Amino acid sequence: MSLVRPSLSSDGMKRTFSERREFMTEDMPASMHFHVVAGGARLFKSLPDGRRQIIGFAHKGDVLPAYPCTRYHYSAEAMRTLQVVCVPAPYLSHLHETSPGACAASLNSARQLLVSLHNRLLMLGRQTARERLATFLLGQGTRMGSGELWPVDPAISRADMADFLGLTTETVSRLLSAFHREQLISRERRAIHILDPDRLRAIVAHPE
Amino acid sequence: MSLVRPSLSSDGMKRTFSERREFMTEDMPASMHFHVVAGGARLFKSLPDGRRQIIGFAHKGDVLPAYPCTRYHYSAEAMRTLQVVCVPAPYLSHLHETSPGACAASLNSARQLLVSLHNRLLMLGRQTARERLATFLLGQGTRMGSGELWPVDPAISRADMADFLGLTTETVSRLLSAFHREQLISRERRAIHILDPDRLRAIVAHPE
DNA sequence: CGCAGTCTTGAAAGCTGTCAATGCAAGTGG
DNA sequence: CCACTTGCATTGACAGCTTTCAAGACTGCG
């Protein structure tokens, strides 16, 4: 989902954050875009009393954009050792003003995000816990479009899944146990493998 | 919602839809952008069993974009008599490729949408029914930024509010009655007026 | 080995949904 | 003008899904 390749050849802007480091918060001035080079990050918003909603996850190639506001509008935390290239906000906006191609690329990726967010609104607003978890597992397990089945990133904890799906860790845990009992998934350590994508898809469409 | 305003002078593509007309559906080829000239529309996604989630409302000046997919990814229905100008998808994409300014404007409005969707994820995932309704009423009642208080659009039914907030009409109705009892709002006919925005804001921040 | 954090599981409570009846307003046709 | 219909809103009783609270179990690590 790389928007632009920042051709700042110098790696003076490259930074590394250790696991759990919250490198972007909602009360920071939004002066930099973060281009993820390695590692992963969770993006989230919080309520004053601590309730947390995960907006999404960022992986290699993704860009966390500083929208033209004074402050970031969500926070980001390294899920493991994270390497980013920091791109000054004015640099990208200048690029957008001068290069239609770069701007169109950013627009396109923004639109893809919009589509996925619309789907998540439907999920959070109208689907049951069981349907949400099945959707999540399919989204994680069948990414890349290929028929290949990937395990869910072990860096994603139960709490992360819960905060992503608008549930509690207990509910997630119980449902994973249920899916395991029903032979839909397997659990080794923290790694979750999808065994029966078709029946998972049936859960998404047909809440029984 | 979307804030691009193409200055397509010709009105040859102008169309009018009557109330409740679903003029854009998820199984229609996405060949047109709809620029709302007058009236209002509800934008929503549905599940096969009929559960519905309202993505947002479109008013005069908004553009419902056909993202570069084969089909629209949500549906739209006129809330009252609706006038739109239909812009062929290739027209806008050509404009974006040639005019950095137009593309930047689209990008900017897409980003504003992203920010508001992130907030709605937090709302749907982590806020209680009471908090959601208070947020909604404030969002409707204090739009335009001014200190002015607007009534909620009477074209928005209880079912619309419920589908926007991920609730049922009964819950919305009960909460409106509670707010009325607490003198937070007044109800005349279908029109809802905000009486005490400060206490509504307190509800959003402090679930008691 | 033992601690700390995470995950799992159980029991009970609570919020919201479901089902159902009533009320209310507007529109229709006699 | 008045029954009658129709659609939406309100309210109540109850059920159910999910959360809350709590106790263990498991894993990784110093």
Side-chain angles (χ1 to χ4, degrees):
Chain A
M1 204 197 318
S2 172
L3 304 186
V4 193
R5 200 174 359 149
S7 49
L8 294 177
S9 53
S10 77
D11 51 2
M13 312 294 283
K14 183 176 279 188
R15 296 189 61 184
T16 301
F17 300 111
S18 55
E19 193 177 330
R20 284 176 170 281
R21 170 67 186 281
E22 198 173 321
F23 60 95
M24 182 174 137
T25 66
E26 292 185 58
D27 45 59
M28 273 172 59
S31 56
M32 291 282 181
H33 307 280
F34 296 96
H35 182 166
V36 177
V37 173
R42 52 182 76 88
L43 319 179
F44 60 94
K45 289 181 71 77
S46 310
L47 254 25
D49 60 3
R51 283 173 288 177
R52 192 179 74 153
Q53 176 65 44
I54 290 188
I55 303 301
F57 300 99
H59 304 288
K60 178 179 174 179
D62 294 342
V63 170
L64 314 187
Y67 298 136
C69 325
T70 55
R71 312 206 165 267
Y72 294 111
H73 63 286
Y74 56 75
S75 306
E77 180 185 285
M79 290 200 295
R80 53 189 153 242
T81 301
L82 178 74
Q83 285 181 47
V84 300
V85 172
C86 299
V87 181
Y91 175 86
L92 244 196
S93 52
H94 175 71
L95 195 62
H96 285 160
E97 280 156 19
T98 52
S99 157
C103 189
S106 289
L107 178 59
N108 204 52
S109 88
R111 283 173 163 179
Q112 288 184 24
L113 279 178
L114 282 176
V115 172
S116 72
L117 287 180
H118 290 160
N119 286 317
R120 292 197 54 204
L121 283 191
L122 179 61
M123 177 175 92
L124 292 178
R126 289 303 181 202
Q127 288 190 292
T128 65
R130 194 176 159 84
E131 293 169 302
R132 293 185 211 180
L133 185 58
T135 303
F136 172 76
L137 291 175
L138 285 169
Q140 290 289 310
T142 62
R143 68 192 151 182
M144 309 276 167
S146 69
E148 208 75 33
L149 289 179
W150 293 66
V152 175
D153 184 344
I156 298 178
S157 68
R158 298 293 181 271
D160 287 334
M161 296 187 207
D163 289 341
F164 185 85
L165 299 172
L167 302 169
T168 59
T169 64
E170 293 94 330
T171 299
V172 170
S173 189
R174 270 185 265 268
L175 285 172
L176 285 175
S177 297
F179 284 174
H180 184 75
R181 230 174 296 130
E182 300 169 41
Q183 315 255 337
L184 297 170
I185 60 171
S186 71
R187 286 187 292 182
E188 311 152 3
R189 288 271 176 286
R190 280 178 81 162
I192 298 172
H193 287 262
I194 294 182
L195 297 180
D196 198 330
D198 292 334
R199 273 201 295 154
L200 277 178
R201 273 186 274 269
I203 289 174
V204 174
H206 266 295
E208 38 183 332
Chain B
M1 283 182 82
S2 180
L3 309 167
V4 194
R5 287 154 207 234
S7 50
L8 197 59
S9 52
S10 81
D11 51 3
M13 313 292 284
K14 185 177 277 189
R15 297 188 59 185
T16 300
F17 301 111
S18 55
E19 193 177 330
R20 286 178 167 278
R21 171 68 186 281
E22 197 174 322
F23 61 94
M24 181 173 137
T25 66
E26 293 185 57
D27 46 59
M28 273 172 60
S31 56
M32 291 283 183
H33 308 277
F34 296 97
H35 183 166
V36 177
V37 173
R42 53 181 75 90
L43 321 178
F44 60 93
K45 289 181 72 78
S46 309
L47 254 24
D49 59 3
R51 283 174 288 177
R52 189 177 77 150
Q53 175 66 44
I54 290 189
I55 303 300
F57 300 100
H59 304 289
K60 177 179 175 181
D62 294 342
V63 170
L64 315 188
Y67 296 136
C69 325
T70 54
R71 312 208 165 267
Y72 294 111
H73 63 287
Y74 56 76
S75 306
E77 181 185 284
M79 291 199 294
R80 54 197 111 128
T81 303
L82 178 74
Q83 286 181 48
V84 299
V85 172
C86 300
V87 181
Y91 175 87
L92 244 198
S93 52
H94 176 71
L95 194 61
H96 284 160
E97 280 157 18
T98 53
S99 156
C103 188
S106 289
L107 178 60
N108 204 51
S109 86
R111 284 175 163 178
Q112 287 184 24
L113 279 179
L114 282 176
V115 172
S116 73
L117 288 179
H118 291 159
N119 286 317
R120 293 197 53 205
L121 284 190
L122 179 61
M123 177 175 92
L124 292 178
R126 288 305 183 199
Q127 288 189 291
T128 65
R130 195 175 158 84
E131 294 170 302
R132 293 184 211 180
L133 185 58
T135 303
F136 173 76
L137 292 175
L138 285 170
Q140 290 289 310
T142 62
R143 67 193 152 182
M144 309 276 167
S146 70
E148 209 74 33
L149 288 179
W150 294 65
V152 176
D153 183 344
I156 297 179
S157 68
R158 298 292 180 270
D160 287 334
M161 296 187 207
D163 289 342
F164 184 84
L165 299 172
L167 301 170
T168 59
T169 64
E170 292 94 331
T171 298
V172 169
S173 189
R174 269 186 265 268
L175 285 172
L176 285 175
S177 298
F179 285 173
H180 184 76
R181 230 174 298 135
E182 300 170 39
Q183 315 256 336
L184 298 170
I185 61 172
S186 71
R187 285 186 293 182
E188 311 152 5
R189 287 272 174 283
R190 279 177 81 162
I192 298 172
H193 287 262
I194 294 182
L195 297 180
D196 197 332
D198 292 333
R199 272 201 295 154
L200 277 178
R201 273 185 274 269
I203 288 174
V204 174
H206 265 293
E208 36 184 332

